[in-house]
């Protein structure tokens, strides 16, 4: 059990405001926004933009509110990212951060005529590389290879959470990575198969209560879905009860101009509002 | 519980293990997630001892978190992009096309000579093959996947001077063809140089999934144990041609073992790519796709579980217009590029197609 | 990263016993002796399990101490240059049809799978029989001097036809031996070789297997490697035809694809490991295409995707 000092506890409780909804567009439909302790689930087929959205949210978090005279609209919080299937691409995150800086420069200079791809930094922003590296130091990445290692890793991360109260988001991409391996080694015994998963979920639930972090988990679609077989829920019941908000990602396929449109829909919410976005080189761009 | 014995370095005696087992702690997972106080009360083992053993076991099993900055610095030292060898290069090869019509009754014979000119596959892949990525090349039989793989192999060995491992599942690696391609690029090469270039390519033949797993595991072991050997230090590319041939016999039906083996295989490939900074290229077959949303009438084989694994996917089709066959490569999944960008690579009968068709569907 | 025990070629029975006892990865079995492996198994079985796991995880230690060169290679790998030299030393099986040989680059290649497809009655069996005779052509005439395996699934292997083709081949070779273009030493070698290249000998070197359904074909593919160990001169396997038993009575198309892929992989393994040529005869099926031209056309049946070369035979 990790021990947190009173000072750290106060910092943590006082920092609720810092989260500021995580993202205004994506979570616009949620009354009162995303608060610490909430659990979100992102699910969808491959290539539907889940990992890209996670990178977008990471960028929202690790950037500061402003840098020099640029408005970056970040939240300056730390993020822990648990990567179970090697999906995380750090270089893509760096590209997204660079684009945000460039856009902020353009806004600051009111220069809308600059070519989008031109990375021409005025002299006073020459140390942008160091700045990006400093932002990256607010991100912690762990790779896991099987469900027992995931359990042990999650338990050991408690020390990190206690020592750094600035950590506000805990992301796991993805929760379904060990499904087939666990299913085979348990020989179709559902309780054995889900045993590790249940333990992991209970530890994570404790983290959300105790350390006030937002938990985001992604779920891949492992089964071909058709009209006859609706989407199967294959994660354990405990996780399903824990989730506050579920988001379903899909590729719409409609093409506006030359770009593909993606959509994310919050399932089980009144209204079922669909948010659409492009994925460009600069990251996610919401359609208004 | 055997693992618990070895992991706790023998600090738990066998009678203590029995006591734990009778209290419901049967596996390592149970032990590390149990509540120390209540367990100390139920058994007579002191809480301090349980707690310290628990920390040891967790520390042994857990993965260590990396700070983003350190991870980035480490990545930049090992990152590179490899050309597919299709950059304004001109392969003059007398390559008898796979599907050839012959007149068996000894009248006229007809052979179709083809010249393959690749020059734009790199553009499609945003510069080439990135280390740290698994790239998938998908297409029906005879569309040129193995040819592309051999091109990539040669280009990496010849231009980038790095070592390549080519895992061949169907006897598609042809030494003669590599030599042809080599001579097509640089006609004036002496034997010693040819020997040097070809020596950088190691070919492993794996005809079933267990030998494939073994081959990949042995590659990984060599990289992990950091053998001071040029073949290991300069290894940058692993090609598997064709993955579907070894995985599809075990996949499907009610068997879960097949899916579990496939997931294990995909984890080894991904860990080779990400942890050891290699570029990994896979070829895959196609199956019929009856869903309305796909732009092609076929989809990659091996199912949705495999579909999540590659970060970039290139779809190869052939298009026959009259007597000409065109091959078109389309990006259908990429973390960097716009999707459905296509490039035609030209298969001609004698003439060189100088313009590439650029279509963005 | 530890390797799971399920990735080793152990039977599901053993895997289950191992996982119940708590062994999940190769690391767990590292220091365990067969006696300690308390799985209610015979000692030999326990020993075999441990050997399977250990032999694949600890090859480097032995090779490091023994040979310096072998530790440089991933076990089982070959250099591309060595492969090139090896391919250049292989022969190919001539078919006596000049055009066909040109097309194939000298003849049916050794170490690869070649597929002949065509409508029924077009002459695929004739090609198969011709190849089974041609593979036996002596070295002195530029042949492979090998033996042949003929797997007959349709019942189309007729001995009288083989006799005709063999007789024609013998006659052709005699003609070559007596032609005026070659020098004396070669002529004497060839005449000597002709003594063994007679119809009875040719027939005795073709091993015919008759399969009545697909299960027999698959079973045969498992048994053939041992047969090839005893008959190391075999240089050709002809399967006539691969499509026949798979086309009917197969409701589960996915199962059919799986079985065919597995079968193709066992054949290619035999081709590569034993340096022989595998020839498959396939039937044609009609694909009705409604999207493009609206015309239906013939495509090879079964959608096999593993052959190296495919030839359509048309009239």
């Amino acid at each position: 059990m990790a021990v947190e000092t009173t000072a750290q506890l106060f910092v943590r409780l006082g920092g609720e405001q810092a989260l500021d909804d995580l993202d205004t567009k994506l979570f616009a439909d949620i009354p009162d926004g995303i608060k610490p302790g909430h659990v979100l689930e992102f699910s969808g087929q491959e290539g539907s933009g889940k990992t890209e959205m996670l990178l977008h949210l990471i960028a929202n978090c690790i950037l500061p509110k402003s840098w020099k005279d640029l408005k970056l609209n970040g939240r300056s919080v730390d993020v822990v990212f648990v990567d179970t299937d090697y999906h995380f691409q750090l270089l893509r995150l760096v590209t997204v951060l660079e684009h945000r800086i460039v856009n902020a420069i353009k806004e600051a200079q009111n220069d809308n005529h600059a070519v989008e791809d031109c990375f021409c930094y005025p002299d006073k922003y020459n140390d942008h590389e160091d700045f990006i590296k400093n932002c990256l130091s607010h991100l912690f990445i762990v790779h896991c290879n099987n469900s027992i290692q995931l359990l042990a890793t999650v338990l050991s991360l408690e020390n990190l959470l206690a020592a750094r109260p600035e950590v506000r988001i805990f992301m796991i991409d993805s929760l379904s990575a060990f499904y087939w391996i666990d299913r085979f080694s348990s020989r179709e015994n559902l309780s054995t198969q889900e045993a590790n998963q249940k333990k992991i979920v209970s530890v994570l639930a404790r983290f959300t209560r105790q350390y006030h972090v937002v938990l985001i988990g992604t779920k891949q679609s492992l089964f071909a879905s058709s009209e006859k077989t609706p989407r199967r829920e294959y994660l354990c019941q405990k996780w399903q009860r824990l989730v506050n908000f579920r988001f379903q990602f899909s590729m719409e396929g409609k093409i506006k101009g030359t770009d593909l449109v993606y959509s994310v829909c919050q399932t089980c919410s009144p209204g079922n509002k669909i948010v659409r976005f492009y994925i460009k080189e600069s990251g996610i761009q919401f359609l208004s | 519980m055997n693992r618990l014995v070895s992991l706790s370095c023998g600090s738990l005696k066998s009678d203590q293990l029995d006591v734990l087992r009778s209290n419901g702690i049967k596996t390592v997972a149970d032990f590390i997630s149990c509540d120390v106080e209540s367990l100390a009360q139920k058994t007579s083992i002191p809480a301090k001892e349980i707690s310290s053993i628990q920390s040891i076991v967790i520390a042994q099993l857990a993965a260590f978190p990396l700070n983003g900055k350190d991870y980035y610095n480490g990545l930049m030292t090992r990152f590179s992009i490899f050309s597919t060898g299709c950059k304004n290069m001109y392969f003059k090869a007398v390559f008898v096309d796979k599907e050839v019509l012959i007149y068996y009754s000894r009248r006229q014979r007809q052979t179709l000579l083809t010249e393959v000119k690749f020059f734009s596959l790199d553009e499609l892949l945003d510069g080439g093959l990135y280390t740290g990525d698994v790239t998938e090349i998908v297409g029906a039989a005879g569309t040129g996947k193995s040819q592309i793989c051999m091109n990539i192999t040669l280009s990496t060995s010849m231009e980038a001077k790095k070592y390549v491992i080519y895992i061949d599942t169907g006897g598609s690696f042809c030494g003669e063809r590599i030599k042809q391609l080599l001579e097509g690029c640089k006609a004036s090469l002496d034997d010693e140089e040819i020997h040097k270039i070809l020596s950088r390519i190691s070919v492993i033949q794996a005809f079933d999934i267990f030998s494939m797993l073994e081959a990949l595991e042995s590659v990984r072991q060599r990289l992990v144990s950091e053998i001071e050997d040029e073949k290991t230090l300069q290894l940058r590319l692993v090609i598997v041609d064709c993955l579907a041939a070894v995985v599809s016999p075990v996949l499907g039906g009610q068997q879960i073992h097949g899916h579990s083996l496939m997931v294990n295989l995909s984890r080894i490939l991904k860990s080779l790519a990400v942890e050891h900074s290699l570029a990994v290229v896979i070829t895959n077959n196609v199956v019929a796709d009856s869903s309305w949303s796909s732009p092609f009438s076929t989809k990659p084989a091996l199912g949705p579980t495999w579909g999540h694994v590659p970060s970039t996917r290139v779809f190869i089709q052939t298009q026959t217009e009259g007597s000409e066959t065109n091959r078109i490569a389309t990006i259908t999944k990429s973390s960097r590029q716009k999707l459905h960008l296509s490039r035609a690579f030209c298969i001609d009968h004698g003439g060189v197609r100088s313009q590439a068709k650029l279509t963005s569907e | 990263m530890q390797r799971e025990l399920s990735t080793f070629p152990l039977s599901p029975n053993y895997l289950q016993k191992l996982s119940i006892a708590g062994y999940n990865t190769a690391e767990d079995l590292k220091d365990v002796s067969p006696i300690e492996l308390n799985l209610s198994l015979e000692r030999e079985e326990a020993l075999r399990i441990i050997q399977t796991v250990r032999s694949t995880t600890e090859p480097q230690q032995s090779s490091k101490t023994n040979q310096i060169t072998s530790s440089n290679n991933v076990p089982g790998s070959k250099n591309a240059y060595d492969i090139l030299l090896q391919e250049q030393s292989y022969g190919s099986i001539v078919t006596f049809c000049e055009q066909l040989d040109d097309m194939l680059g000298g003849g049916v290649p050794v170490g690869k799978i070649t597929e002949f497809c065509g409508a029924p009655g077009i002459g695929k069996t004739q090609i198969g029989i011709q190849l089974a005779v041609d593979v036996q052509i002596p070295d002195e005439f530029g042949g492979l001097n090998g033996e042949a395996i003929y797997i007959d699934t349709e019942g189309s292997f007729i001995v009288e036809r083989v006799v005709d083709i063999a007789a024609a081949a013998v006659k052709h070779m005699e003609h070559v031996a007596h032609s005026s273009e070659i020098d004396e030493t070669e002529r004497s070698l060839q005449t000597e070789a002709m003594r063994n290249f007679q119809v009875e000998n040719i027939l005795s070197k073709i091993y015919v297997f008759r399969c009545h359904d697909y299960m027999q074909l698959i079973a045969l593919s498992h048994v053939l490697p041992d047969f090839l160990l005893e008959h190391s001169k075999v240089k050709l396997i002809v399967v006539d035809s691969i499509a026949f038993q798979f086309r009917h009575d197969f409701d589960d198309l996915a199962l059919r694809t799986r079985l065919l892929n597995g079968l193709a992989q066992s054949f290619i393994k035999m081709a590569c490991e034993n340096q022989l040529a595998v020839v498959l005869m396939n039937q044609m099926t009609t694909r009705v295409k409604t999207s493009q031209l609206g015309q239906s056309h013939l495509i090879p049946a079964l959608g096999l995707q593993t052959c190296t070369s495919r030839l359509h035979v048309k009239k």
Side-chain angles (χ1 to χ4, degrees), chain B residues 117-188:
Chain B
K117 182 182 178 186
F118 291 112
F119 59 88
S120 41
L121 202 51
D122 280 349
E123 284 170 48
L124 210 56
L125 294 169
D126 193 25
L129 298 165
Y130 281 52
T131 55
D133 270 1
V134 175
T135 309
E136 188 182 21
I137 302 178
V138 184
T143 41
K145 306 188 291 286
S146 301
Q147 296 300 315
I148 297 180
C149 288
M150 285 198 269
N151 261 324
I152 296 172
T153 310
L154 192 62
S155 152
T156 311
S157 168
M158 196 165 69
E159 306 286 318
K161 298 195 174 36
K162 297 289 179 196
Y163 282 76
V164 180
I165 289 191
Y166 193 108
I167 302 184
D168 186 13
T169 65
S172 51
F173 184 84
C174 182
E176 285 290 345
R177 175 73 179 143
I178 291 265
K179 186 152 172 251
Q180 248 176 13
L181 294 176
L182 188 56
E183 283 161 0
C185 305
K186 290 184 183 173
S188 58

Side-chain angles (χ1 to χ4, degrees), chain B residues 98 102 175 203 220 251 285, chain C residues 1 78 103 258 305 310:
Chain B
K98 258 201 177 179
I102 62 167
V203 179
R220 207 180 63 84
L251 207 61
N285 290 337
Chain C
M1 199 172 106
K78 280 186 273 195
M103 187 142 305
R258 279 205 302 282
Q305 297 193 4
R310 177 180 280 155

Side-chain angles (χ1 to χ4, degrees), chain A residues 196-252:
Chain A
N196 280 342
Q197 225 179 61
K198 285 187 195 147
K199 294 191 176 70
I200 294 170
V201 172
S202 42
V203 174
L204 290 173
R206 183 164 60 83
F207 286 177
T208 56
R209 285 192 308 268
Q210 199 172 339
Y211 299 100
H212 303 277
V213 289
V214 174
L215 177 63
I216 306 181
T218 57
K219 189 177 85 166
Q220 294 162 345
S221 70
L222 298 179
F223 302 96
S225 62
S226 59
E227 283 79 40
K228 286 178 251 170
T229 52
R231 276 185 207 96
R232 271 172 70 167
E233 284 290 349
Y234 55 85
L235 290 177
C236 61
Q237 285 283 342
K238 212 163 179 174
W239 168 258
Q240 291 172 36
R241 282 195 292 266
L242 185 65
V243 175
N244 299 116
F245 304 106
R246 275 185 188 77
F247 292 88
Q248 186 70 33
F249 284 74
S250 62
M251 195 174 3
E252 291 232 316

Side-chain angles (χ1 to χ4, degrees), chain C residues 119-134:
Chain C
I122 203 128
K124 302 187 297 294
T125 308
Q126 311 305 314
I127 299 180
I129 297 175
Q130 181 76 60
L131 288 170
V133 169
D134 292 343

